[in-house]
Amino acid sequence: MARIGVLTSGGDAPGMNAAIRAVVRSGIAAGFEVAGFRHGYTGLIAGDWRPLGPREVGGVMHLGGTMLGTTRCETLRTEAGRAQALRSLETAGIAALVVIGGNGSQTGAHELARQGAPVIGIASTIDNDLYGADVTIGATTAVDVALQSIDRLRVTAASMRRAFLVEVMGRDCGYLALTAGLAGGAEAIVVPEEATDPATVAEELRAAYARGKSHAIAVVAEGAAHDGDALMDYFRAHRERLGFEMRLTKLGHVQRGGAPGAFDRMLGTTLGAAAIDAAVGRRYGRLIGLRDGKPAETALDEVAGKTRRADVRLLELARVLAR
Ligand code: F6P
């Protein structure tokens, strides 16, 4: 019986477990055995895998993180590491390898595919920065987690008439900041895609108080030219002139470990099943991602090494709605 391998790689994202479950159960229904590699490419290189049956993937769909474990594997960036990964695939008798992960992971998948490995990627990262996917597994849950914090911070901000900077993850993409900022009703949003100088952010917050608001919140992407620390430095230096107090909250990794919401469970489920369809059709070297509401396949060639930008047109809408 042909065997499918599955691994999760890079930063964990809520909904990865739903994708693993769908790969396993759809794979078995399509007549494959399924092997789960532990800790991403590290497990692949070490030949560390175990058979996954329907029961092994029971009770995981509602959990964040990944039941298989994950790493950022430096060894796969080396030629020797990739050669070892290819040997492992052969030794384990893998007919197709499903790689669930984000940008770095799909770039690794692309390298393996270029060397002839039958690889199929599934778009999964809270950053939502992958080409070939309108929205990636984990992104909407991460936004929800950020929103819970922003909602609470607004209560404190309003009570004390303080301003807050909330720094969110996203690496070089502003999707998380833009979406959480818009949905959280932020007075200012700072993203890597658009240069913003600290004086403008300060003015946006000051103007919010001048319009009679009791709070002012800026959501800042960690990858912005002026991140949370840089903005705080500016505010400290100009505290007297600005006339309001500012606090910085960095949400950091708490955004990643949330329990997947309905959307991410469905996304993991449909993309996992679509990866098995691609395996049955022997369509390798592709990324499975949601495009126009449906699972779609994009050549890894077009995905690897690129970062999709957030839709900065939404910044204008955010400015209008912050009034
Ligand atoms: O790619 C997901 C992500 O959470 C980014 O938003 C963040 O910059 C990075 O991973 C953090 O990486 P690590 O967990 O390795 O510190």
Side-chain angles (χ1 to χ4, degrees), residues 73-270:
C73 177
E74 287 304 318
T75 317
L76 195 83
R77 294 177 192 270
T78 67
E79 226 166 86
R82 287 193 291 274
Q84 183 54 43
L86 294 174
R87 279 195 292 276
S88 279
L89 286 174
E90 236 181 271
T91 311
I94 301 298
L97 175 71
V98 178
V99 173
I100 305 170
N103 241 319
S105 309
Q106 302 307 342
T107 301
H110 176 239
E111 283 301 318
L112 293 177
R114 280 193 337 148
Q115 291 175 43
V119 182
I120 298 161
I122 293 183
S124 177
T125 163
I126 65 162
D127 300 338
N128 198 25
D129 61 351
L130 268 175
Y131 271 82
D134 296 339
V135 60
T136 51
I137 294 172
T140 58
T141 300
V143 169
D144 277 335
V145 172
L147 281 175
Q148 288 165 15
S149 300
I150 291 168
D151 291 348
R152 287 178 194 161
L153 289 170
R154 186 183 302 100
V155 171
T156 288
S159 304
M160 301 191 75
R161 291 189 65 81
R162 259 184 197 157
F164 272 88
L165 286 176
V166 188
E167 187 185 274
V168 299
M169 281 188 161
R171 209 179 282 278
D172 299 321
C173 177
Y175 171 85
L176 287 178
L178 194 49
T179 314
L182 247 180
E187 278 63 43
I189 300 175
V190 182
V191 293
E193 288 84 353
E194 193 177 273
T196 316
D197 93 282
T200 308
V201 180
E203 177 49 29
E204 282 172 332
L205 299 181
R206 197 204 53 74
Y209 287 120
R211 288 196 299 275
K213 290 198 175 190
S214 58
H215 62 268
I217 293 186
V219 179
V220 185
E222 63 175 359
H226 291 95
D227 63 4
D229 288 322
L231 290 173
M232 264 322 266
D233 286 346
Y234 178 88
F235 280 104
R236 275 195 205 100
H238 298 84
R239 162 84 184 83
E240 295 310 320
R241 185 171 61 76
L242 293 174
F244 56 84
E245 264 199 80
M246 172 70 92
R247 293 286 190 273
L248 168 64
T249 301
K250 289 189 187 192
L251 297 185
H253 289 82
V254 294
Q255 286 155 102
R256 247 177 30 201
F263 184 81
D264 278 324
R265 296 187 202 191
M266 281 302 292
L267 190 56
T269 299
T270 53

